[in-house]
Amino acid sequence: MEKKPHFVRREFPPREVSSVSLALLLAAILLLNAFLYLYLNKFYTSSGHAEMDPGLCPFGYFKMGTMKNCSPWLSCEAINREVRKLKCVGEGAVKKVFLSEWKENKVVLSLLTNSDLKEDFLHGLKMLKALQSKHVVRLLGYCEQQFTILTEYHPLGSLRGLNETLHIPKYQGMNTWHRRLMLAIDYVSVIRYLHSSPLGTLVMCDSNDLDKVLSQYLLTSDFHILVNDLDALPLVNKSAGRLVKCGHRELQGEFVAPEQHWPYGEEVPFEDDLMPPYDEKTDIWKIPDVSNFLLGHVEGSDIVRLHLFDIHAACKKKDPAERPSAQEVLDTYRKVLTLLIREATMPATREML
């Protein structure tokens, strides 16, 4: 009797393959989440208060460049003896700015140009001394008698030149939605810091148009934003009934907040004494316009704008009381950054499977 061939059926262990794939997936997700946490934590903290630079020197001291130890702010004598002016790099209504040199370091020397505005100059110096933090340009020295201020030099200049900088081959890799959103977060962080500063709630009054706002901030070489001009920072104290007015002239245009406009119509001539004061929510009104510039027009920036639509709409509420605080805007910006980075990393996770 003929024997039928006996076939041995091989079975592969699909469960083992599945478990390996599952392990890879879990490992990838854990790694990506750890990377995301560390990455975001490097730049931002969840504190609602002013963020101090852990490397910041004690009050009255500074450290810059390759300096290992903190040095006292330079005095009148030290500035006159050790600082050498190189060239004039800017001039405004209050001061003239010179690129200068101190012990082989490039620095910025600011000199009062209009004696009628010396109070503004000294107010800016007072603010600069009191607000030293990671959000404010570093003070290196000053001389009140000669109306002189010495600060750290940042070669990329003010935010007005951001788009030109990002077209330089060296910095083209920074021209992404991610890096631009981080700049917007930096900007809102500065506003939040001013609104909760050690001195109280301060309003950024030198901000009547976009170009003026951008000129108040510096772009650092590692692509962060510092506030540079603090000449016009009046204090709001709502509990004491103290509000502010930015200047003594009529403000116009859509960039300034509605409450900064003359409220009595064209038939009534503008009078500063009749102009109602306002609070820090004027800064909130301007955030969407500044952020729109910072986000630019790169791949992904429209997606960012879509995610920020609701908070920006809230910033543009006509009633200042209905606008969010700078902290609320900052929290939303950070959540959007976290969400978009997580969404960007998920396709990479799927490809690993």
Side-chain angles (χ1 to χ4, degrees):
M1 190 172 179
E2 186 177 352
K3 292 183 179 181
K4 294 182 179 180
H6 179 68
F7 295 99
V8 179
R9 184 179 178 184
R10 289 189 177 185
E11 294 184 0
F12 295 93
R15 290 184 180 179
E16 292 182 11
V17 175
S18 177
S19 63
V20 170
S21 298
L22 183 60
L24 286 172
L25 173 61
L26 291 173
I29 291 174
L30 287 172
L31 284 171
L32 286 169
N33 277 303
F35 167 78
L36 180 62
Y37 172 80
L38 292 171
Y39 182 75
L40 293 174
N41 192 57
K42 177 182 177 182
F43 294 101
Y44 311 113
T45 66
S46 58
S47 169
H49 301 284
E51 298 156 6
M52 300 303 291
D53 186 344
L56 204 65
C57 294
F59 182 81
Y61 291 77
F62 73 93
K63 184 168 59 175
M64 61 177 288
T66 58
M67 293 173 60
K68 294 182 179 179
N69 300 315
C70 294
S71 175
W73 286 337
L74 300 186
S75 63
C76 298
E77 181 184 354
I79 291 174
N80 291 333
R81 185 181 65 249
E82 301 172 11
V83 176
R84 182 170 64 95
K85 285 191 288 189
L86 299 177
K87 64 177 180 178
C88 179
V89 292
E91 183 173 4
V94 177
K95 54 186 177 285
K96 185 178 287 189
V97 179
F98 293 88
L99 173 63
S100 304
E101 192 174 54
W102 174 73
K103 293 186 177 179
E104 299 184 353
N105 293 292
K106 293 289 191 301
V107 293
V108 173
L109 188 67
S110 300
L111 306 176
L112 177 67
T113 55
N114 187 343
S115 59
D116 293 336
L117 298 175
K118 63 182 180 181
E119 293 303 320
D120 293 52
F121 186 90
L122 293 175
H123 175 75
L125 173 58
K126 177 186 174 182
M127 295 293 107
L128 196 54
K129 289 162 62 178
L131 299 176
Q132 284 294 289
S133 72
K134 72 174 188 176
H135 302 294
V136 179
V137 68
R138 187 173 283 117
L139 178 64
L140 309 180
Y142 64 91
C143 181
E144 288 192 33
Q145 297 93 320
Q146 299 174 7
F147 298 100
T148 300
I149 300 174
L150 192 70
T151 54
E152 190 172 15
Y153 172 64
H154 293 279
L156 296 184
S158 79
L159 275 183
R160 283 189 295 192
L162 174 63
N163 291 326
E164 289 75 13
T165 297
L166 288 171
H167 281 96
I168 298 173
K170 179 181 178 181
Y171 298 110
Q172 284 179 353
M174 298 285 195
N175 197 17
T176 64
W177 69 263
H178 165 248
R179 179 60 66 170
R180 283 177 170 271
L181 177 54
M182 287 174 63
L183 288 176
I185 289 174
D186 271 358
Y187 167 70
V188 178
S189 296
V190 173
I191 299 299
R192 192 283 312 272
Y193 175 63
L194 295 178
H195 288 184
S196 57
S197 82
L199 302 178
T201 303
L202 300 170
V203 180
M204 194 68 175
C205 265
D206 259 348
S207 56
N208 296 337
D209 57 63
L210 178 61
D211 192 66
K212 185 64 175 176
V213 171
L214 298 176
S215 71
Q216 309 301 304
Y217 297 87
L218 295 172
L219 181 64
T220 67
S221 296
D222 60 349
F223 269 69
H224 285 285
I225 290 176
L226 300 174
V227 63
N228 180 51
D229 196 331
L230 304 173
D231 295 344
L233 278 182
L235 179 68
V236 166
N237 188 339
K238 292 179 185 175
S239 60
R242 181 177 179 178
L243 300 176
V244 303
K245 288 190 286 188
C246 292
H248 304 287
R249 298 179 181 179
E250 182 177 2
L251 300 179
Q252 297 178 332
E254 295 182 0
F255 188 81
V256 296
E259 63 270 25
Q260 292 184 281
H261 291 149
W262 176 244
Y264 303 117
E266 295 180 0
E267 61 276 7
V268 179
F270 176 82
E271 287 187 38
D272 184 43
D273 292 340
L274 298 179
M275 179 67 197
Y278 34 82
D279 61 19
E280 76 280 4
K281 291 300 183 74
T282 57
D283 289 336
I284 304 300
W285 171 274
K286 298 160 188 173
I287 286 176
D289 298 294
V290 178
S291 288
N292 185 55
F293 170 82
L294 294 174
L295 291 174
H297 299 282
V298 296
E299 183 179 356
S301 62
D302 287 342
I303 299 298
V304 177
R305 286 185 178 89
L306 183 63
H307 282 275
L308 296 177
F309 180 84
D310 289 341
I311 192 68
H312 282 174
C315 291
K316 291 294 188 180
K317 294 280 189 181
K318 187 172 182 180
D319 183 355
E322 295 182 6
R323 295 174 205 154
S325 67
Q327 183 64 57
E328 290 170 322
V329 179
L330 181 59
D331 289 342
T332 301
Y333 273 43
R334 287 173 172 169
K335 288 176 184 176
V336 168
L337 176 62
T338 302
L339 172 66
L340 292 177
I341 290 179
R342 184 174 288 125
E343 288 181 353
T345 57
M346 287 312 293
T349 305
R350 297 190 190 100
E351 289 177 6
M352 294 176 67
L353 300 179

